[in-house]
Amino acid sequence: MTSAQIRQSMTDRSVNSRSALSRIPLLRTLRDGSGFDVTLVLCAVGYLLVFAAFPLVYTLVMSLQQVDMFSLASFDRPFAGLDNYRDVFSRPEALQILKNTVLFVVLSITFQLGIGFGLALFFQQSFPGATYIRGVFLAGWIMPALVVGAIWKWILAGDFGVLNYALTSLHLTGGKIFWLSDPDFALFAVIIANIWLGIPFNMILLSVGLAAIPRDLYEAAEIDGARAGRRFLHITLPMMRSTLGAVVSLGIIFTLQQFDLIAALTKGGPANASNVAQYWSWQMSFETYEISAGSVVAVLMIALVILVAALYVRSTEREHAA
């Protein structure tokens, strides 16, 4: 066979392979451009299945099995069913950690929302340097939680902390308070640090919601004689309902995910006084290697997050329908 015949044969094979590929529907749509969006969706779905759905399902499965450090690499594990859940709830520290988690979430969300809303309203006013001052608040939000924890550990130190120095200088306390080692104050110390960390995020989202309210409504209400309080109650709050719902929902989710701050400040101590569900799950899984028990707590937290997200989506759907 001559070289010309060989080249012709290779050309024919290439044409035949291209025609065969062109008969595949997805590849044919990619060639004319209509299947590109489908490919992007499939990539996103594949990513969620591998990195989100599979870990969630695997955690659920482990919560129903007897898994420890010796059986973690094996799929031959005894089935425990709901015994793992009964074991977790029957532990003496479970009730205290549940109360700590509820208190941690409620106080954090309440003060983050309240202070963030106040700052958002404040920065809606026109005054020199408002943009730059608002940017200073964002500096705390972009800092890693471990760094924030280290800073607050210095502030809350019992012997040389800035907070104790300020309180004693103002004669507000009779002596030093050991915020991080006293069981009566450890949880509140973590809550204070978490509130400080979450305020900028709340302020940003609420500022966006406030900016979307038409100025004409306020001007018309002011002409009609409505004072600032009535304008806030009858214009700002109703118009901010969806934004407030989003901020509260995201705040609950982010607070339940808060791990670094607790690890940097108290590590759940002393004697579980500042321990919360997410840190307890990590302790059981990676410190005592009770992986089944840690998976149980993780599954319960996932269920709570899904419930919060579902309530938020349902409320927004009703608002849009109205």
Side-chain angles (χ1 to χ4, degrees):
M1 181 179 293
T2 63
S3 59
Q5 291 174 331
I6 293 174
R7 286 196 297 271
Q8 182 63 36
S9 177
M10 294 177 63
T11 302
D12 294 340
R13 291 178 183 177
S14 177
V15 171
N16 292 333
S17 64
R18 284 198 298 268
S19 61
L21 291 175
S22 65
R23 288 193 292 269
I24 300 176
L26 179 59
L27 295 178
R28 187 170 63 251
T29 56
L30 281 176
R31 290 185 62 186
D32 58 22
S34 60
F36 184 69
D37 51 350
V38 178
T39 304
L40 293 179
V41 171
L42 291 177
C43 290
V45 171
Y47 176 85
L48 291 175
L49 289 175
V50 173
F51 295 102
F54 175 74
L56 292 179
V57 173
Y58 192 60
T59 302
L60 176 61
V61 171
M62 287 195 299
S63 71
L64 301 173
Q65 297 175 328
Q66 295 180 10
V67 187
D68 53 28
M69 64 180 301
F70 300 104
S71 60
L72 182 60
S74 172
F75 290 99
D76 185 16
R77 306 162 183 163
F79 181 76
L82 297 179
D83 289 342
N84 289 333
Y85 289 81
R86 284 190 286 268
D87 172 62
V88 169
F89 283 111
S90 64
R91 299 192 180 199
E93 67 270 24
L95 182 59
Q96 181 184 7
I97 292 175
L98 176 61
K99 291 180 180 178
N100 290 347
T101 304
V102 173
L103 194 62
F104 181 64
V105 172
V106 171
L107 290 181
S108 295
I109 297 302
T110 301
F111 284 96
Q112 286 176 358
L113 182 64
I115 299 174
F117 204 176
L119 289 174
L121 291 170
F122 174 73
F123 285 115
Q124 283 295 111
Q125 311 303 315
S126 178
F127 60 91
T131 304
Y132 301 102
I133 299 175
R134 185 187 304 171
V136 173
F137 279 91
L138 299 181
W141 182 49
I142 63 177
M143 292 173 62
L146 281 174
V147 177
V148 173
I151 295 173
W152 274 96
K153 198 167 187 177
W154 294 334
I155 296 175
L156 298 169
D159 293 325
F160 54 85
V162 176
L163 183 57
N164 272 343
Y165 177 80
L167 292 177
T168 53
S169 299
L170 296 173
H171 303 288
L172 297 177
T173 57
K176 295 179 180 179
I177 299 175
F178 291 87
W179 296 93
L180 303 177
S181 57
D182 190 331
D184 295 330
F185 295 100
L187 179 62
F188 295 101
V190 178
I191 291 173
I192 291 171
N194 189 55
I195 290 172
W196 182 88
L197 183 62
I199 285 174
F201 176 76
N202 285 259
M203 183 187 69
I204 292 172
L205 292 186
L206 294 170
S207 295
V208 173
L210 289 173
I213 301 176
R215 299 292 98 187
D216 298 343
L217 296 178
Y218 291 107
E219 294 174 358
E222 191 173 0
I223 292 173
D224 291 339
R227 296 180 179 273
R230 294 183 63 86
R231 293 198 299 268
F232 177 77
L233 291 175
H234 295 284
I235 298 177
T236 304
L237 284 181
M239 297 293 290
M240 290 284 291
R241 186 184 306 170
S242 60
T243 304
L244 289 171
V247 170
V248 171
S249 301
L250 292 175
I252 293 174
I253 294 172
F254 291 158
T255 303
L256 288 174
Q257 291 178 339
Q258 185 55 259
F259 171 85
D260 297 347
L261 203 58
I262 301 168
L265 287 173
T266 62
K267 300 186 186 303
N272 290 318
S274 63
N275 205 356
V276 291
Q278 58 268 36
Y279 195 80
W280 191 35
S281 176
W282 180 87
Q283 281 181 322
M284 290 189 292
S285 298
F286 300 106
E287 285 189 352
T288 61
Y289 296 103
E290 299 174 276
I291 299 173
S292 297
S295 299
V296 167
V297 179
V299 167
L300 295 175
M301 292 182 63
I302 292 169
L304 179 59
V305 168
I306 292 175
L307 176 61
V308 171
L311 291 175
Y312 167 65
V313 171
R314 187 177 180 85
S315 65
T316 54
E317 287 180 349
R318 286 181 178 178
E319 184 174 349
H320 290 314

